[in-house]
């Protein structure tokens, strides 16, 4: 309905009657235009887009005639208007919903229910916290790094990947000397890491004195990493700043391969890798070798590390698994020592006086070997037994004066 208000003003103007006639005539024209618009709207084809689950209108859905580039966008009530002169196929799409097609006839209205698409995200299972549980169900601050995260950064060092975790800080003093702080908990150690307990495939890496030679491990040995932060780390012992669990990926039948790799860089950096994977439905074995060496930027800062890793498992039954985990690491890296401000200004690449003559550095050969037996009696009850041993030959020549 169109309301027209006509106001008559008393005036002596000679053309006032003509002005009133114009207003009335214009009002009739407006009524005709409004009536025509109502008729066109009645002839337009109404299509409403709704969510199948909630029956709520979808605002911003796109409806276009198949084959055409331009289309209509649904309004806040989910409606789209079309004027079809003949039957046509309509293509209906909306972000996060399955695309649909509708065969529409002229002068017919339709209601289209769209189904939201679902995508299952891969879950993260924490093995280091009591039992294997989904990450969202673990009542603790746990950070996880997978093998892909390590591959995003420089493979010569795990520092960049570790520093992506909140509350975790890793520093590298020498080419193979690391410091690890979890939520500010740091104890000074002459070498290695203290106050953090570490495990490799459920075999303790931390020595009885609390020191962990993290520099023995290569990224190839680390695999997936779980870091338990805060008070929950007391599950592994009192007075700990945190716990780090390294888990090597199990060789699978669909991943049988022989892989070789080489990386070269400045200052004499060389890295060679070799890996063999072979597995069946009930057993598997993995053998990997990594050699990484570098001359270093400073004098007397070279390093050379070789690691050999052997992983194997066999499943006598569906509920049992026997696994063997072994790695051997031979590490030799030099320590150039600190410089004064004057020495640094003179030559930042020089080593501290006496470091080279004393051959200051770390020479360490370690063999870590363990056998584990896992049995699952039921969904809620199981047992894991591990027997392991570690052999280390360590030499640390250093300067004793101040």
């Amino acid at each position: 309905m169109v309301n027209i208000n006509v106001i008559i003003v008393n005036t002596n103007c000679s053309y006032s009657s003509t002005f009133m006639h114009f207003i009335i005539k214009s009002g009739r024209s407006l009524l005709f235009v409004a009536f025509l618009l109502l008729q066109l709207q009645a002839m337009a084809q109404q299509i409403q887009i709704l969510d199948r689950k909630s029956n709520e209108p979808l605002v911003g859905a796109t409806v276009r005639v198949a084959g055409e580039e331009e289309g209509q966008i649904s309004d806040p009530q989910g409606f789209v208007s079309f004027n079809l002169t003949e039957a046509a196929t309509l293509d209906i799409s909306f972000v996060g919903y399955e695309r649909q097609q509708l065969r529409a006839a002229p002068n017919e209205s339709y209601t289209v229910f769209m189904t939201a698409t679902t995508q299952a995200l891969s879950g993260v299972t924490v093995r280091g916290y009591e039992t294997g549980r989904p990450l969202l169900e673990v009542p603790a601050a746990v950070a996880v790094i997978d093998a892909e995260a390590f591959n995003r950064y420089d493979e010569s060092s795990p520092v960049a990947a570790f520093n992506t975790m909140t509350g975790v800080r890793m520093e590298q003093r020498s080419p193979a000397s690391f410091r690890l702080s979890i939520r500010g908990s740091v104890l000074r150690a002459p070498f290695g890491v203290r106050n953090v307990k570490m495990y490799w495939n459920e075999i303790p890496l931390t020595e009885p004195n609390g020191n962990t030679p993290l520099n023995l491990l290569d990224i190839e040995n680390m695999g997936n990493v779980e870091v338990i932060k805060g008070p929950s780390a007391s599950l592994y012992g009192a007075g700990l700043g945190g716990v780090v669990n390294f888990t090597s990926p199990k060789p699978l039948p669909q991943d049988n391969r022989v892989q070789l790799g080489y990386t070269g860089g400045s200052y004499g950096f060389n890295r060679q890798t070799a890996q063999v994977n072979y597995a069946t439905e009930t057993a598997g074995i993995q053998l990997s070798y990594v050699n990484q060496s570098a001359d270093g930027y400073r004098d007397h800062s070279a390093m050379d590390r070789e690691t050999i890793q052997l992983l194997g498992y066999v499943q006598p039954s569906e509920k049992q698994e026997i696994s063997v985990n072994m790695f051997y690491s031979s590490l030799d890296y030099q320590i150039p020592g600190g410089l004064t401000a004057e020495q640094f200004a003179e030559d930042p690449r020089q080593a501290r006086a006496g470091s080279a003559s004393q051959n200051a550095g770390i020479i360490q050969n370690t063999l870590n070997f363990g056998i584990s037996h896992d049995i699952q009696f039921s969904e809620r009850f199981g047992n894991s037994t591990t027997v392991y041993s570690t052999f280390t030959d360590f030499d640390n020549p250093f300067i004793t004066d101040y």
Side-chain angles (χ1 to χ4, degrees):
M1 179 180 294
V2 180
N3 295 323
I4 302 176
N5 297 322
V6 180
I7 302 176
I8 302 177
V9 180
N10 186 13
T11 178
N12 295 323
C13 180
S14 60
Y15 53 85
S16 60
S17 58
T18 305
F19 179 71
M20 290 177 56
H21 177 72
F22 172 76
I23 292 177
I24 296 174
K25 186 175 181 180
S26 299
R28 292 175 180 176
S29 300
L30 290 174
L31 285 172
F32 176 77
V33 172
F35 177 77
L36 182 60
L37 291 175
L38 289 174
Q39 292 297 320
L40 290 175
Q41 186 176 5
M43 295 175 59
Q45 195 152 10
Q46 295 289 325
I47 300 175
Q48 189 177 26
I49 315 298
L50 301 178
D51 179 89
R52 184 179 298 277
K53 187 175 182 179
S54 64
N55 287 334
E56 294 292 329
L58 297 180
V59 183
T62 303
V63 182
R64 59 169 60 89
V65 178
E68 296 184 1
E69 295 183 358
E70 297 183 357
Q72 303 293 332
I73 304 298
S74 58
D75 61 17
Q77 286 73 41
F79 283 103
V80 177
S81 298
F82 273 91
N83 292 314
L84 297 177
T85 58
E86 59 182 8
T89 299
L90 301 180
D91 188 25
I92 306 170
S93 61
F94 190 60
V95 176
Y97 287 79
E98 296 179 357
R99 183 183 296 270
Q100 293 192 29
Q101 285 191 337
L102 172 67
R103 186 65 179 177
N107 302 323
E108 294 288 340
S109 296
Y110 299 91
T111 300
V112 178
F113 294 92
M114 301 194 70
T115 303
T117 57
T118 58
Q119 183 177 1
L121 300 178
S122 58
V124 176
T125 301
V126 178
R127 296 178 53 88
Y129 193 84
E130 294 183 344
T131 58
R133 303 176 63 181
L135 180 61
L136 295 179
E137 297 180 5
V138 177
V142 179
V144 179
I145 301 177
D146 56 11
E148 294 182 358
F150 283 112
N151 293 333
R152 296 191 190 105
Y153 303 98
D154 180 11
E155 295 184 357
S156 65
S157 171
V159 173
F162 265 86
N163 287 337
T164 60
M165 295 184 287
T166 57
V168 178
R169 175 67 179 175
M170 178 177 279
E171 298 176 353
Q172 184 171 349
R173 183 184 64 170
S174 296
S177 179
F178 303 109
R179 297 289 183 268
L180 183 64
S181 168
I182 299 179
R183 288 190 171 181
S185 175
V186 179
L187 287 181
R188 183 72 173 89
F191 55 89
V193 177
R194 291 185 63 192
N195 203 38
V196 176
K197 206 162 189 179
M198 299 189 185
Y199 292 81
W200 177 74
N201 294 334
E202 301 183 3
I203 300 175
L205 286 177
T206 303
E207 299 173 350
N209 60 6
N211 183 75
T212 303
L214 180 60
N215 46 15
L216 293 177
L217 295 181
D218 187 84
I219 287 181
E220 292 289 334
N221 309 121
M222 294 184 178
N224 299 321
V225 182
E226 299 171 4
V227 178
I228 303 176
K229 302 174 285 186
S232 298
S234 61
L235 177 70
Y236 290 81
L240 294 178
V243 179
V244 180
N245 291 285
F246 301 102
T247 305
S248 300
K250 179 187 294 186
L252 301 174
Q254 61 269 24
D255 197 27
N256 292 335
R257 69 181 187 277
V258 176
Q259 182 175 315
L260 302 174
Y262 174 79
T263 304
S266 56
Y267 306 110
F269 178 80
N270 287 281
R271 176 181 170 86
Q272 302 94 27
T273 61
Q275 187 178 97
V276 178
N277 280 277
Y278 179 76
T280 63
E281 295 297 331
T282 59
I285 187 172
Q286 179 191 96
L287 179 63
S288 62
Y289 169 81
V290 180
N291 175 235
Q292 180 172 310
S293 61
D295 296 335
Y297 172 76
R298 296 177 59 189
D299 297 335
H300 198 69
S301 62
M303 67 87 63
D304 189 0
R305 180 179 59 208
E306 289 183 301
T307 59
I308 300 175
Q309 175 179 277
L310 175 65
L311 307 176
Y313 71 92
V314 61
Q315 296 174 336
S317 65
E318 294 182 357
K319 296 183 178 181
Q320 294 187 72
E321 181 175 297
I322 301 174
S323 59
V324 177
N325 301 279
M326 185 274 291
F327 82 85
Y328 170 78
S329 180
S330 176
L331 174 64
D332 183 353
Y333 72 91
Q334 300 170 339
I335 300 177
L339 299 176
T340 64
E342 293 77 10
Q343 291 172 333
F344 181 81
E346 178 185 356
D347 182 9
R349 301 185 62 173
Q350 66 175 313
R352 176 186 175 185
S355 294
S357 59
Q358 292 283 350
N359 194 28
I362 298 291
I363 304 171
Q364 185 171 0
N365 298 286
T366 297
L367 174 65
N368 195 308
F369 179 81
I371 300 177
S372 301
H373 176 258
D374 295 324
I375 182 170
Q376 194 71 30
F377 299 104
S378 64
E379 292 183 359
R380 297 183 177 271
F381 182 67
N383 178 71
S384 178
T385 303
T386 301
V387 179
Y388 72 95
S389 182
T390 302
F391 303 91
T392 298
D393 179 18
F394 181 79
D395 189 14
N396 178 213
F398 60 94
I399 301 175
T400 57
D401 64 331
Y402 290 90

